[in-house]
């Protein structure tokens, strides 16, 4: 029993000491943080901002290719796997065969695919703006 009490007292003392040290360090850091003079816009634009801009600029060409491929597949002919036209044909065949559950399932899938097209087109437009911005920042871009 006495070792248990001693262990508890040591743990409490350690937590109290750690809290006190953090409190002292926090006030010292807060006192050191004086607002810096605003930098010029040219140096601020080229510094690391932590928003992932450099990585996005680097990946923009690959993302553009992937978006283009996805849109080409969705907007392809009935012979193209994954195209809207092919899925429409499947829905028609399921309805003609009297498979209402299958037709319903495929119809929901078709609705989802159709909703992807405007989203991907908007992403292409946004990515074009990002690529333009990247070129003005002297980052690697398409």
């Amino acid at each position: 029993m006495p070792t248990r009490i001693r262990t508890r007292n040591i743990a409490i003392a350690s937590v109290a000491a750690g809290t006190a040290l953090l409190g002292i360090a926090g006030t010292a850091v807060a006192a050191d943080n004086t607002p810096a003079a605003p930098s010029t816009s040219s140096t601020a634009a080229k510094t690391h901002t932590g928003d992932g801009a450099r990585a996005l600029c680097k990946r923009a060409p690959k993302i553009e290719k992937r978006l283009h491929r996805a849109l080409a597949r969705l907007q392809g002919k009935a012979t193209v796997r994954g195209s809207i036209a092919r899925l429409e044909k499947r829905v028609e065949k399921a309805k003609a065969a009297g498979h209402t559950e299958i037709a319903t399932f495929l119809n929901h899938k078709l609705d989802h695919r159709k909703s992807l097209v405007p989203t991907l087109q908007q992403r292409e437009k946004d990515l074009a703006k990002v690529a333009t911005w990247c070129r003005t920042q002297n980052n690697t871009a398409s």
Side-chain angles (χ1 to χ4, degrees):
M1 192 72 144
T3 55
R4 206 177 199 184
I5 294 172
R6 187 178 333 143
T7 305
R8 184 189 68 190
N9 289 342
I10 290 172
I12 292 172
S14 297
V15 169
T19 305
L21 285 175
L22 287 176
I24 293 169
T27 56
V29 169
D32 258 359
N33 283 345
T34 56
S39 61
T40 62
S41 62
S42 63
T43 57
K46 296 184 193 256
T47 60
H48 179 67
T49 59
D51 63 354
R54 185 176 296 152
L56 183 58
C57 288
K58 184 178 178 182
R59 293 200 38 80
K62 289 181 181 180
I63 295 170
E64 183 180 7
K65 285 178 187 176
R66 190 171 52 233
L67 285 172
H68 181 70
R69 251 191 346 254
L71 278 171
R73 183 179 62 244
L74 287 171
Q75 296 170 338
K77 296 179 182 179
T79 58
V80 177
R81 284 180 138 181
S83 70
I84 291 172
R86 184 178 177 128
L87 194 52
E88 285 172 340
K89 249 187 174 179
R90 287 181 65 194
V91 170
E92 290 170 12
K93 286 181 181 180
K95 284 180 183 176
H99 301 150
T100 55
E101 291 83 9
I102 303 297
T104 303
F105 175 79
L106 292 175
N107 210 10
H108 287 134
K109 202 170 175 179
L110 178 63
D111 292 341
H112 175 69
R113 257 186 221 174
K114 285 181 179 179
S115 73
L116 285 176
V117 173
T119 303
L120 293 176
Q121 288 171 337
Q122 183 60 47
R123 285 186 186 169
E124 270 190 331
K125 290 175 189 174
D126 293 343
L127 190 64
K129 291 177 186 176
V130 167
T132 303
W133 180 85
C134 290
R135 283 191 291 274
T136 63
Q137 301 301 314
N138 295 327
N139 290 329
T140 56
S142 57

